Amino acid sequence: MSPKKAKKRADGASSNVFSMFEQAQIQEFKEAFTIMDQNRDGFIDKNDLRDTFAALGRLNVKQEELDDMLKEAPGPINFTVFLTMFGEKLKGADPEETILNAFKVFDPEGKGTLKKDFVTEMLTTQADRFSPEEMEQMFAAFPPDVAGNLDYKNLVYVITHGEEKDQE
């Protein structure tokens, strides 16, 4: 079967997944998928995952970890499967928890902070890139501490609740 036919069948298999998201969200997922599909074959495989982790600075990813991620999919991960997997993960998800989990990927020690320089690089070079003005506004609203660390837990709280959490 040609890749085109395989894609058509896969798209039709669960086309209702596209109704779960707004068009802008689907476009963002498509950008993320394209970034992760390092070899541009239309599928995310183990090598794509390893390369994606490497691009994010994480070089020693265990085979088992990659295998476990791939096992979450019902088969080869094309864009429709990718979208369906996110739809299932996000169904009923708390936006605060979802955003926190995105930050935690970059904070393996679980400190609750990220270096300002790292945050700036990620937000200005990946997917929906922030402009220098947007970065300035963010750091004006959420200034890093003297060591240059951004308290992302507080940032996420304000994003999802609209006001600063009382510091204990």
Side-chain angles (χ1 to χ4, degrees):
M1 184 166 21
S2 75
K4 241 192 178 77
K5 278 197 179 117
K7 183 184 182 325
K8 270 213 180 341
R9 197 187 69 229
D11 281 352
S14 56
S15 58
N16 65 338
V17 69
F18 290 94
S19 64
M20 290 175 60
F21 299 104
E22 294 171 25
Q23 198 56 46
Q25 291 174 302
I26 292 171
Q27 187 55 44
E28 288 182 16
F29 281 121
K30 186 68 178 169
E31 286 177 30
F33 181 86
T34 303
I35 289 169
M36 294 176 73
D37 182 18
Q38 298 273 320
N39 64 6
R40 301 291 182 257
D41 66 353
F43 294 89
I44 295 175
D45 60 20
K46 192 187 292 192
N47 290 331
D48 291 327
L49 287 176
R50 179 182 279 70
D51 292 344
T52 300
F53 274 115
L56 295 171
R58 191 160 162 225
L59 303 174
N60 301 325
V61 184
K62 293 184 177 69
Q63 289 288 341
E64 302 82 52
E65 196 176 348
L66 298 173
D67 290 336
D68 288 346
M69 286 179 189
L70 291 171
K71 278 184 205 152
E72 288 186 38
I77 305 174
N78 64 11
F79 180 64
T80 304
V81 171
F82 181 79
L83 197 60
T84 303
M85 290 172 71
F86 269 98
E88 288 167 1
K89 287 233 185 273
L90 294 174
K91 204 179 291 167
D94 173 20
E96 182 175 11
E97 186 182 344
T98 304
I99 299 169
L100 262 179
N101 287 337
F103 277 107
K104 285 178 184 172
V105 169
F106 304 110
D107 182 22
E109 288 97 45
K111 294 178 188 162
T113 61
L114 294 171
K115 288 281 179 208
K116 176 187 177 194
D117 294 344
F118 176 76
V119 173
T120 300
E121 180 175 339
M122 292 308 295
L123 293 178
T124 57
T125 63
Q126 304 296 319
D128 260 343
R129 296 179 173 97
F130 277 48
S131 69
E133 295 76 31
E134 289 169 319
M135 293 307 301
E136 246 175 70
Q137 290 169 354
M138 186 181 84
F139 289 128
F142 302 98
D145 64 19
V146 291
N149 295 309
L150 180 69
D151 175 359
Y152 68 80
K153 289 181 178 178
N154 188 39
L155 173 66
V156 170
Y157 185 87
V158 174
I159 289 170
T160 56
H161 294 85
E163 73 256 7
E164 216 161 316
K165 198 175 354 186
D166 295 327
Q167 298 296 321
E168 289 92 51

